[in-house]
Amino acid sequence: MASIAFPSLAKHHTLSTSHTYNYVYQAPASSSHTSILFLHGFPSSCYDWRHQISYFTDKGYGVLAPDLLGYGGTSKPAATEKYKLKSMAAEIVELLDHEGLARVHIVAHDMGCNLLSRLADYFPDRLLSGTFVDVPYSKPGEHFDLDMVNMFTKTLLGYERFGYLEFFVEDGAGDILDQHADSFFTLFYPDSPDLWVENVGPVGAMKLWLLDDRKASLACYVSDEERLMHNKILQGHYNPALNWYRTLVWNMNKEDEIQADFKQILKMPVLMVGPQPNKLEMPGFFEQMKQSVEDLIIKRVSTRGHWIQLEARDELNTMLEEFFACRDPNGKT
């Protein structure tokens, strides 16, 4: 939540949809400096970009990092249809307009990468570049069959990779997450990413972990103080955030995307940043983006976990800075 984690940079704005967004904003230091939009994933808020916000504002970049719809201090509508990617992308653009930002570099992580995908499709002229962290670009209009995906990954990897999605879309899943917040935090920010192989991917595994209130060793890149801040922002509010997964699993974005008839390959520069190969990665997962992106760079940090912006913060910041420097319109950062 911007107002809790970054009080000196926190702002809020109510859009034409009546949704109020809470966000971090720092204007660029000069007209020759560009701005970066950071889009978090689940279970996060703008707080998970803390290392990037401090780094790039110190460098003179403009930074806009919102709590996305359903998270932190931003509106949390109950209706699942409010979380469709087309409408949320339009809301982000309205927020950019409010701050007078015509074109920005966009950096996204996890479910934020789905929103970046649609921003790149619906509003390509607003992107100087797009960076996908850990999760690649998703093609528009494709049908998502969770059962088939889990069968495929079990054949390919030896276990179901996305079984947790069945739990996330269940009635009452948000309540379980709220009631076992510390158990969930240590599972999602674990010391070893291999913990997810048995306790996140397989169908039913995550729910069992939470109901047993199990806990794992906390990742070394997250302090106990940061865990408390995370829980202060998210505990009690998990259910609205899960609507992002409901729209995915229930294919609520498919009709909008088919009607839009996206045919173009992405023309803006794109950076894909992944971890080192691990037990969770499907072969060719990142390389598939070459089919949809004209100007693509794929890089890997030295760590193996999902939370690259936290665990490999310095590496990611350097990669981003070098990527932006080559693609800023003024040739200056």
Side-chain angles (χ1 to χ4, degrees):
M1 184 183 294
S3 57
I4 292 177
F6 307 96
S8 64
L9 298 178
K11 298 185 70 173
H12 67 273
H13 178 62
T14 301
L15 305 177
S16 60
T17 58
S18 297
H19 293 156
T20 297
Y21 275 71
N22 188 223
Y23 58 99
V24 168
Y25 180 67
Q26 174 65 57
S30 71
S31 59
S32 64
H33 290 79
T34 52
S35 293
I36 311 165
L37 169 65
F38 289 102
L39 304 174
H40 66 79
F42 178 91
S44 306
S45 68
C46 66
Y47 182 57
D48 268 7
W49 294 113
R50 53 194 177 273
H51 304 298
Q52 287 68 47
I53 290 170
S54 60
Y55 183 86
F56 284 101
T57 54
D58 286 348
K59 295 283 185 177
Y61 284 90
V63 166
L64 175 59
D67 292 334
L68 295 174
L69 196 67
Y71 292 91
T74 291
S75 294
K76 301 173 183 63
T80 303
E81 60 266 21
K82 298 297 183 181
Y83 296 82
K84 294 171 69 174
L85 290 171
K86 180 180 179 180
S87 59
M88 290 195 297
E91 289 186 339
I92 293 299
V93 168
E94 187 175 344
L95 197 59
L96 292 176
D97 290 342
H98 173 70
E99 294 296 351
L101 300 174
R103 301 179 71 207
V104 293
H105 298 289
I106 304 183
V107 181
H109 176 253
D110 189 73
M111 288 295 283
C113 292
N114 288 356
L115 181 55
L116 170 53
S117 296
R118 296 297 82 82
L119 280 162
D121 289 328
Y122 286 114
F123 303 99
D125 58 327
R126 305 305 294 265
L127 278 72
L128 289 170
S129 71
T131 297
F132 296 80
V133 181
D134 199 71
V135 175
Y137 170 78
S138 62
K139 294 181 180 179
E142 293 194 334
H143 183 76
F144 185 79
D145 186 328
L146 180 56
D147 290 336
M148 184 174 293
V149 168
N150 277 325
M151 285 192 296
F152 173 76
T153 56
K154 189 169 186 177
T155 300
L156 185 67
L157 301 174
Y159 67 95
E160 297 140 335
R161 177 67 177 81
F162 298 100
Y164 65 93
L165 294 181
E166 289 195 13
F167 166 60
F168 278 175
V169 301
E170 283 183 15
D171 291 339
D175 293 334
I176 293 174
L177 294 177
D178 288 332
Q179 293 161 12
H180 302 276
D182 282 335
S183 174
F184 181 52
F185 187 87
T186 64
L187 177 61
F188 252 55
Y189 294 81
D191 185 49
S192 171
D194 293 344
L195 188 70
W196 287 14
V197 172
E198 294 184 358
N199 298 290
V200 174
V203 174
M206 179 185 288
K207 186 175 182 179
L208 182 62
W209 173 283
L210 295 171
L211 292 178
D212 286 346
D213 206 38
R214 296 176 61 188
K215 295 180 178 66
S217 298
L218 187 63
C220 61
Y221 53 85
V222 179
S223 68
D224 194 58
E225 181 181 357
E226 290 171 322
R227 176 187 62 81
L228 293 173
M229 175 67 81
H230 181 281
N231 284 349
K232 183 177 182 180
I233 293 170
L234 282 165
Q235 191 170 4
H237 304 290
Y238 278 108
N239 189 62
L242 290 175
N243 280 311
W244 286 65
Y245 290 99
R246 296 180 183 115
T247 60
L248 170 66
V249 174
W250 298 345
N251 286 288
M252 294 179 67
N253 297 298
K254 182 178 177 180
E255 184 176 349
D256 287 339
E257 295 165 9
I258 290 175
Q259 288 181 354
D261 193 26
F262 297 117
K263 293 181 179 178
Q264 75 277 15
I265 290 179
L266 299 187
K267 301 294 185 181
M268 73 288 296
V270 171
L271 173 64
M272 175 71 232
V273 181
Q276 286 297 300
N278 55 48
K279 295 178 181 179
L280 300 164
E281 184 178 320
M282 293 181 288
F285 193 48
F286 302 141
E287 287 74 13
Q288 66 175 331
M289 289 177 62
K290 294 176 182 178
Q291 304 170 14
S292 305
V293 179
E294 186 174 278
D295 180 5
L296 174 66
I297 296 174
I298 299 175
K299 291 194 173 184
R300 291 182 183 268
V301 295
S302 63
T303 56
R304 298 190 304 122
H306 176 68
W307 301 98
I308 290 172
Q309 73 271 45
L310 301 177
E311 186 177 14
R313 64 194 71 166
D314 294 335
E315 291 179 71
L316 177 62
N317 290 344
T318 298
M319 287 179 183
L320 290 174
E321 187 175 14
E322 292 175 351
F323 179 63
F324 299 154
C326 296
R327 289 156 178 83
D328 275 328
N330 300 314
K332 179 181 178 181
T333 58

